Amino acid sequence: MPETAALLAHLESMRRIRSFEEEVTRLRATGEVVGSVHLCNGQEAIYVGACAALDLSRDAVFPTYRGHGWTLACGAPPHALFAELLGRATGINGGRGGSAYLSAPEYGMYGENSIVGAGAPIAAGAALAATFDGSGRVALAAFGDGAMNQGAVHEAMNFAAVRALPVIFLVENNHYSELTPIADMVRVDRLFKRASAYGMPGARIDGNDPEAVRQAVAEAVRRARSGAGPVLLEAMTQRIVGHYIGDAQHYRPSGDLDAALAAEPIGRLGRDLLGLGVAQSELDELEARVAREIADASARALADPVADPTTVLEHLYA
Amino acid sequence: MPETKNLSYAESVNAALRRALAERPEALLFGEDVAAPGGVFGVTKGLRKEFGDRVFDTPISESAILGGAVGAAMFGRRPIAEIMWADFSLVALDQLVNQAANVRYVSRGSLSAPLTVRTQQGNAPGACAQHSQSLEAFFAHVPGLRVCLPATHQDAYDLLLSAIWCDDPVIVIENRTLYHAGKQQVRLGGDVQPVGGAAVRRPGRDVTVLTWGALQHRVLEAADRLAGDGIEAEVLDARWVRPLDLAAVLASVRRTGRLVVAHEAHTVGGVGGEVLAAVAEAGLPLRCPPVRIGAPDTRIPAAPGLAAAVIPSTEVIAEAITKSVRA
Ligand SMILES: Cc1ncc(C[n+]2csc(CCOP(=O)(O)OP(=O)(O)O)c2C)c(N)n1
């Protein structure tokens, strides 16, 4: 059983991500943030667990457009992320990336990808570089269940397997690909089984338990660093919000959302911690502290100057 | 018998799809989220219910979608495949460029791939760099493909039908900023038009402004504004960038003696440059150097304030037109 302190740290990180997304929802409603935004509410345990197992001073994470949580779990400051979503000059990408195309390499986050599946071969490439540079770097490509049907993902898995690249393919199985259930789009009940087609190990893990994710990713990291090659992990989770802000979720059968809310990781870990003797007041204090941190970061970002249009041609070429 | 209905641009597309599925039993409609959910922009609503299995959802597998369309088309179907955003077609460009475009040519006409790809493109505030590109020049560069960009509700209906009836691969590039921007009277039914043909959206004597796609609405706005200053711009909607209606462009330029081409896509390597070259080659006597307006040579940023500096605005268009007329 892990230390209560470690579990509390997981809870705080997950709560930070949730509060961030709640504030983004508010900023989208007021029109401060515009355009399509994909929230990660309900999937926080994956980011927090995986990042706890990585050494982000050298490892590299490649998430999808649903990447606010990954970026925060990697340690990027909420203020710089809010500023990015708000098109501020202080944004972590100076307003060029926005919600769906963030990158924060200084925190080990090498770029969201809005093209489904495109991050997988890039992660394989980062791992390929590691086999030459002696850095010991492991690359982690995270993508949705729907992305498992992209050619790029299959090519990446085979490439990584055949060259024994230190890469972890992590499927966030939230059961939906945009508006379509994954069950309607594949004929295997377990996506990780596809790993065997490429000669690499695969496993299904509890994506609502940050500790379970941490352990599975830690084992995959150990394996990868030892030169034994890639793995495919299928983390079972759920979305407790729409595919994007504004998605009315008409396609979700009745009861589906309630089940998702009952299983989501923050409530679950809170209940576990109470069972371990942690006082409710301690959890309340944690939540209030994180809420203050997020409110402050958002307010500061809102007060920042917008990105300067005269700089728009910068950064195209060296 | 044609009838007229008050429809949004999205509903006009839907009406064309409904007609194609009804009149062409060989038509198939497929893509990501198009059937049960009715499309992420609501464009394909109701069609699954009406036409059953000929309308279906696919995995997120663009190569399979487009390659599947090529194969099905070679075997007697009329596939209408949706690629949700034009940017995503790039992961399966092989199926369009190396495969679809070659079928008729290399078989000396004994095979063909009459497929239609519906997609949408362009920038909207807050869209990311991988959801903002204008890619018509990519497709228009490829002999064997045909490409149109409906800018009006009526064209959303008419051009899509022309595409589906066409015996070659056609890419129909819609624009998501138009889908739900308001309703207009749309004539449904009637003859399906052949592929090609520009349309004069606003007659004028001083300068020809050739445009297409969503930018046309800004061009018309600019032209209306300039009319107050005594500048009468003729706005010509190319509608098809392949085949481009060069005869219509030349006829208009012959009258006005001036040419401005305005598109949302990057100017470098764009269709605008092609039009300027063709006009130069035709040797028309121009009263001032021709002008291209488009996005500068950079990536499309996410921040709305930055994107606005890149996508040609009504002001930028008006200024360019004024400059060329006063030159
Ligand atoms: C190549 C490509 N095709 C289609 C899309 C449109 N699209 C965006 S998200 C999405 C669903 C992805 O589902 P999944 O991989 O399960 O990830 P999730 O959104 O559930 O995290 C689709 C189809 C895209 N962005 N890129």
Side-chain angles (χ1 to χ4, degrees), chain A residues 65-66 114 116 144-147 174 176-178 243, chain B residues 32 62 88:
Chain A
Y65 44 81
R66 204 180 294 290
S114 277
V116 168
D145 40 277
N174 63 12
Y176 287 96
S177 316
E178 218 155 84
H243 172 66
Chain B
E32 295 157 17
E62 281 77 8
F88 311 159

Side-chain angles (χ1 to χ4, degrees), chain B residues 192-284:
Chain B
V192 172
Q193 303 166 9
V195 158
V200 176
R201 298 293 180 206
R202 185 188 192 288
R205 56 166 196 270
D206 296 325
V207 53
T208 299
V209 188
L210 180 72
T211 186
W212 52 86
L215 198 67
Q216 175 174 157
H217 299 281
R218 287 187 182 171
V219 170
L220 285 167
E221 221 175 274
D224 284 345
R225 232 182 255 179
L226 293 175
D229 304 340
I231 295 176
E232 290 296 336
E234 174 145 300
V235 178
L236 194 59
D237 178 359
R239 300 164 87 231
W240 294 83
V241 293
R242 188 181 266 265
L244 190 67
D245 187 355
L246 202 55
V249 179
L250 297 179
S252 175
V253 173
R254 228 170 246 125
R255 263 185 290 109
T256 63
R258 298 184 178 93
L259 174 65
V260 173
V261 186
H263 54 60
E264 189 173 324
H266 303 292
T267 43
V268 175
V271 178
E274 176 59 30
V275 175
L276 262 56
V279 168
E281 283 169 352
L284 293 196

Side-chain angles (χ1 to χ4, degrees), chain A residues 229-303:
Chain A
V231 300
L232 173 63
L233 298 175
E234 179 185 14
M236 301 309 292
T237 185
Q238 66 289 304
R239 257 182 17 217
I240 57 173
V241 290
H243 172 66
Y244 53 88
I245 294 182
D247 171 7
Q249 305 190 72
H250 293 309
Y251 51 89
R252 283 182 97 153
S254 71
D256 187 55
L257 201 53
D258 290 337
L261 284 164
E264 67 82 27
I266 293 182
R268 173 172 151 186
L269 184 53
R271 290 190 295 277
D272 287 354
L273 282 162
L274 290 176
L276 289 171
V278 173
Q280 180 67 49
S281 59
E282 192 176 344
L283 299 186
D284 292 346
E285 204 281 314
L286 178 154
E287 183 162 343
R289 183 172 69 244
V290 171
R292 277 195 305 275
E293 175 196 337
I294 291 296
D296 170 66
S298 167
R300 280 194 294 130
L302 277 164

Side-chain angles (χ1 to χ4, degrees), chain B residues 12-39:
Chain B
S12 308
V13 176
N14 185 280
L17 293 170
R18 172 170 287 107
R19 174 171 169 189
L21 286 159
E23 292 184 9
R24 307 287 304 239
E26 72 277 30
L28 303 175
L29 176 66
F30 54 89
E32 295 157 17
D33 294 325
V34 301

Side-chain angles (χ1 to χ4, degrees), chain A residues 37-103:
Chain A
V37 177
H38 305 83
L39 302 174
C40 66
N41 308 37
Q43 304 182 201
E44 297 89 348
I46 298 174
Y47 321 135
V48 166
C51 287
L54 295 168
D55 169 3
L56 291 164
S57 67
R58 58 174 163 162
D59 294 334
V61 175
F62 295 85
T64 68
Y65 44 81
R66 204 180 294 290
H68 303 167
W70 275 111
T71 315
L72 290 166
C74 285
H79 164 259
L81 261 59
F82 279 129
E84 183 60 27
L85 269 57
L86 290 162
R88 299 305 201 258
T90 49
I92 201 156
N93 307 121
R96 278 142 179 94
S99 166
Y101 202 33
L102 282 169
S103 59

